[in-house]
Amino acid sequence: MAIPPLVAPGPELSTEQKARYARHILLPEIGVEGQRRLANARVLVVGAGGLGSPALMYLAAAGVGTIGVVDDDVVDASNLQRQVVHGVADVGRSKTESAAETVAAINPLVTVVRHDLRLTSENALEILADYDVVLDGADNFPTRYLVNDACVFLGLPHVWGSIYRFDGQVSVWFAGHGPCYRCVFPDPPPPDAVPSCATGGVLGVLCAAVGSVQVAEALKLIVGQGDPLVGRLLVHDALRQTWDSLTVRADPDCPVCGESPTVTSLVDYEQFCGMPGASDVPDGQEGAVPGFADVSAKELAQMLAERESGDRTFELVDVREPGERAVVSIPGSRALHLDRFRDGTAVDELPADTPVVLLCKSGVRSAEAAGLLAAAGRTEVANLTGGVLAWVRDVDPSLPVY
């Protein structure tokens, strides 16, 4: 479906701009006028991570005049396998700072606006209102629903991408022209039902494939050319190297963009997705759940030393995926996947008269396992708060993190 150009043409192009963007100008669908629209456009990229990396670089190369980037994270060594906007020298730096520097090196003619913060219900509308298009590279469901709802309320197109392992998805959500994200995905999955890339992994180059499609869609919307992915969901399988297009439609009963909306303002999206809000979780207590004991990484180290000397007996159980354990594990732990706790088989596999300490990456999945053990009648159950990340931070910094 054709959509009129989102952005009016900016000032006449300079000689430098004409030389830089000559290959665009040669395209009849873009030409000088289209390039002036790009130079006048404002695009917000949510997340300077896997999808945001290629998006930021190609938006800059294309000559989009103002590029905003939202991220409150810092660059980690584990990011470098796919987040190509960052380099080795950027580890430990703010992602927005690193990304802005890379964009400036690609194209000093564009302006980068850094938003060094976490997008929330309190700030989303104010931030997004300054832009013509939002490109969503978020890696969590609360942010995806937040961006969608804010875009619906502001009348903005929302170029969405998602990646996991070898699979990618792309669409353009644009209420009034087609479905919004909630029309197709009305309810978030249960917490941890869909593992993140941080726990399930992702093929690094998949980010480039999906992120570049997102940029192509943003450019088409800005200049008003082609058939944007409004009402279509593009699905990519990198293992089979296939792209499939699925038709998706607006839901007249959608709570946000439907005929009688029930969501008319931004809500608490962590609560909507069944996750604890940041303000509800004390620092360092990401896995803490009432009803069973919590142990810190330093306490666990002492417990393991006592177990080694024969002064203490307990089972240390790692509920993570095999690939996660291959990256980093706590010595002396045994593997018992979270699914075994969910189907009840883990209860019979653990000695009934032996205390159990559970761990995962950050303490969330192991807290679920601990709760299931406690519900099954086990009384000596504990959870490692902060998970293996806390162990590396507080006990053995020589170990890798992911």
Side-chain angles (χ1 to χ4, degrees), residues 132-152:
D132 304 302
V133 183
V134 177
L135 194 151
D136 181 11
D139 62 356
N140 63 87
F141 287 100
T143 302
R144 290 171 183 168
Y145 283 96
L146 168 64
V147 170
N148 174 79
D149 293 359
C151 285
V152 171

Side-chain angles (χ1 to χ4, degrees), residues 146-170:
L146 168 64
V147 170
N148 174 79
D149 293 359
C151 285
V152 171
F153 298 150
L154 294 169
L156 296 176
H158 168 198
V159 185
W160 167 80
S162 176
I163 52 173
Y164 177 61
R165 293 189 170 173
F166 297 92
D167 301 320
Q169 299 179 73
V170 192

Side-chain angles (χ1 to χ4, degrees), residues 7 24 48 138 140 162 183 186 201 204 233 243 268-269 272 274 352 356 365 375 377:
V7 180
H24 271 180
N140 63 87
S162 176
C183 291
L233 178 64
W243 292 88
D268 183 331
Y269 292 88
F272 172 68
V356 177
R365 284 170 287 168

